[in-house]
Amino acid sequence: MKENSHIGNYQFRVEPFSEDVTGQISWGHLGNVLLRCAQFHAEGCGFGFGPMSRERLSWVFSRLILDFPNGRPRTGDDYVVSTWASTIFRQFTTRLYEVRRPDGAPWGHVYSVWALIDLQTRQPMDLMALPTGSFSDILEPVPADFPITGPGRIRVRAAVPVAERKVCFTDLDVNGHLNSIRAMEWVLDIFPLERFQGSGLRRVEMAYAQETFGGERLQFFVEEREDGICDVELRKAGSGTVAVRAQLLF
Amino acid sequence: MKENSHIGNYQFRVEPFSEDVTGQISWGHLGNVLLRCAQFHAEGCGFGFGPMSRERLSWVFSRLILDFPNGRPRTGDDYVVSTWASTIFRQFTTRLYEVRRPDGAPWGHVYSVWALIDLQTRQPMDLMALPTGSFSDILEPVPADFPITGPGRIRVRAAVPVAERKVCFTDLDVNGHLNSIRAMEWVLDIFPLERFQGSGLRRVEMAYAQETFGGERLQFFVEEREDGICDVELRKAGSGTVAVRAQLLF
């Protein structure tokens, strides 16, 4: 990882009470660390909008891919998160992350796509025409050896849900949406505990397609392939509109 | 708050993505901050055991009372958490917290009771006979003006559950138990969103009575009094054993 002022580097330690039952940092805590790093970095670069900012704009995930093929850090382990924005395309920006051990060896990589929502109109902003100007001058390219393949195609033909959840108070973020990290946890929780033992879950891809509000019910549909890949859709009960797609690699 | 080496003081800021839909730090994030502060303080005092420690001991909540009568900090707000151990009684120790604004005005107070579990035997340790010696020399008394009333009596006579939840992968802590903060979120989530608007929820009391493991199902029973107090019991489906009691004050 080259040193560059447009790459944010943040040091963390896996603290007690942030692990899952395997003793590794939980996927939820890891997801929240990624959100924090995005905010630290964007603030430092002058585009860290939030719902409480004067502009009333809020960054939301469109895609989130976490690839940790050899496990995640464990209690007391130090780790470094590096993050940078790599592309802007109309209403979307790509943010990449590398999670490393103190000696520089990678633990995992994260590929994310974000949109900036105007909370008055609920519409995504054109990222080339922001009130503070664009941030295209701080983009860093995708390294040639960046190991994550981009978003895949997720399609589930199943017609019978395996679970249903209602969006409640603690599921909501400040925008009044189903929290993106909670949605990831919901996807994991449709699988039995045994799947997470041993080499366990290696890769999670989340695609946030539609806003989901408090009180709405989501039904979970799953399609498992032979190669350990599971495609998941969360569809709104009633309309059947897909709110979230996900793909897990065990 | 007097300055004393046996009181740990920790500074935080409410970061974006840690708020709930009311714009205040979510009860879950606040609970995790309290866990972190307990660990920081106990480590500094030499009794910060964890499941990964040589002794294979793990601190767990027995009671947790959060009292925030005038709201919680909001995005960007700085706050200070002070915490200290106040009593040891056989297998239990009381830990108090004060959460303050930078100018010293209190936001809220927390009363907690902890046990230290031997992960081999699943039994609580005698806190006067720890492998590292007792920690009675670092106790600080309860201030005379400490505003939290201690644990109350919670009893629910209802026989019909209002909800049922199965304990899944992301609900588990490193000890294989239902995560104490997740249990608090579950209790909140049986109430409709409207209850959390306006002055909203002011006080949460959690009493962790029984270990709950992955795959177990909990049924939720509620009894609401006229004075805005709601008593809740989470009983194991089948046996009816009470796993968690809770009391909310709206």
Side-chain angles (χ1 to χ4, degrees), chain A residues 233-247:
Chain A
E233 280 185 359
L234 278 60
R235 303 181 198 148
K236 297 194 181 191
S239 70
T241 307
V242 176
V244 177
R245 287 188 178 84
Q247 188 176 77

Side-chain angles (χ1 to χ4, degrees), chain B residues 7-62:
Chain B
I7 296 177
N9 298 290
Y10 308 99
Q11 297 197 27
F12 296 94
R13 175 170 295 176
V14 180
E15 291 169 6
F17 305 111
S18 70
E19 320 93 335
D20 65 22
V21 67
T22 71
Q24 302 167 91
I25 186 172
S26 73
W27 291 96
H29 275 279
L30 181 57
N32 281 316
V33 165
L34 299 174
L35 286 168
R36 289 172 67 192
C37 291
Q39 181 66 27
F40 293 154
H41 180 253
E43 268 182 359
C45 295
F47 59 98
F49 302 109
M52 301 305 161
S53 65
R54 192 171 49 79
E55 297 87 357
R56 292 275 296 158
L57 304 173
S58 190
W59 285 108
V60 297
F61 277 132
S62 167

Side-chain angles (χ1 to χ4, degrees), chain B residues 223-239:
Chain B
E223 193 160 309
E224 183 148 8
R225 304 187 208 163
E226 287 178 6
D227 49 6
I229 294 177
C230 299
D231 286 353
V232 181
E233 280 184 359
L234 280 58
R235 303 181 197 149
K236 297 194 181 190
S239 70

Side-chain angles (χ1 to χ4, degrees), chain A residues 21-24 192-201 250, chain B residues 169 172:
Chain A
V21 67
T22 72
Q24 303 168 89
L193 291 176
E194 307 80 71
R195 296 294 289 265
F196 299 93
Q197 302 296 337
S199 61
L201 180 62
F250 287 99
Chain B
F169 172 64
L172 296 178

Side-chain angles (χ1 to χ4, degrees), chain A residues 33-235:
Chain A
V33 166
L34 299 174
L35 286 167
R36 289 172 68 192
C37 291
Q39 182 65 28
F40 293 154
H41 180 253
E43 269 182 0
C45 295
F47 60 96
F49 303 108
M52 302 304 161
S53 65
R54 191 171 49 78
E55 297 87 356
R56 293 274 297 158
L57 304 174
S58 190
W59 285 108
V60 298
F61 277 132
S62 168
R63 293 269 182 162
L64 174 63
I65 307 176
L66 299 96
D67 191 39
F68 286 77
N70 303 305
R72 288 155 285 133
R74 308 180 83 88
T75 320
D77 282 343
D78 291 309
Y79 62 100
V80 180
V81 178
S82 299
T83 186
W84 64 99
S86 64
T87 62
I88 300 176
F89 180 71
R90 297 184 189 163
Q91 292 135 348
F92 297 103
T93 180
T94 307
R95 170 176 293 283
L96 304 179
Y97 298 80
E98 187 171 76
V99 181
R100 296 191 311 281
R101 299 172 192 267
D103 68 5
W107 242 306
H109 295 84
V110 178
Y111 177 107
S112 63
V113 180
W114 300 66
L116 186 63
I117 303 291
D118 180 326
L119 292 176
Q120 312 297 323
T121 65
R122 313 299 299 191
Q123 294 300 309
M125 302 285 289
D126 178 348
L127 298 179
M128 299 307 286
L130 293 178
T132 54
S134 175
F135 52 92
S136 53
D137 53 323
I138 61 99
L139 297 181
E140 293 287 331
V142 185
D145 59 351
F146 199 75
I148 288 193
T149 52
R153 183 150 179 259
I154 302 170
R155 205 180 66 177
V156 178
R157 282 159 299 192
V160 179
V162 298
E164 181 171 317
R165 296 246 202 188
K166 182 177 152 191
V167 179
C168 296
F169 172 64
T170 74
D171 302 323
L172 296 178
D173 64 19
V174 68
N175 302 322
H177 295 157
L178 170 61
N179 179 316
S180 53
I181 304 301
R182 181 59 58 92
M184 180 174 71
E185 295 183 317
W186 282 8
V187 169
L188 272 51
D189 281 345
I190 59 179
F191 294 91
L193 291 176
E194 307 80 71
R195 296 294 289 265
F196 299 93
Q197 302 296 337
S199 61
L201 180 62
R202 301 173 45 160
R203 185 181 196 275
V204 180
E205 175 170 344
M206 300 292 295
Y208 301 95
Q210 283 276 330
E211 299 178 305
T212 307
F213 299 96
E216 290 195 287
R217 289 183 171 275
L218 292 176
Q219 294 184 317
F220 293 65
F221 298 83
V222 183
E223 193 160 312
E224 183 148 8
R225 305 187 207 163
E226 288 179 4
D227 49 7
I229 293 177
C230 297
D231 285 352
V232 180
E233 280 185 359
L234 278 60
R235 303 181 198 148

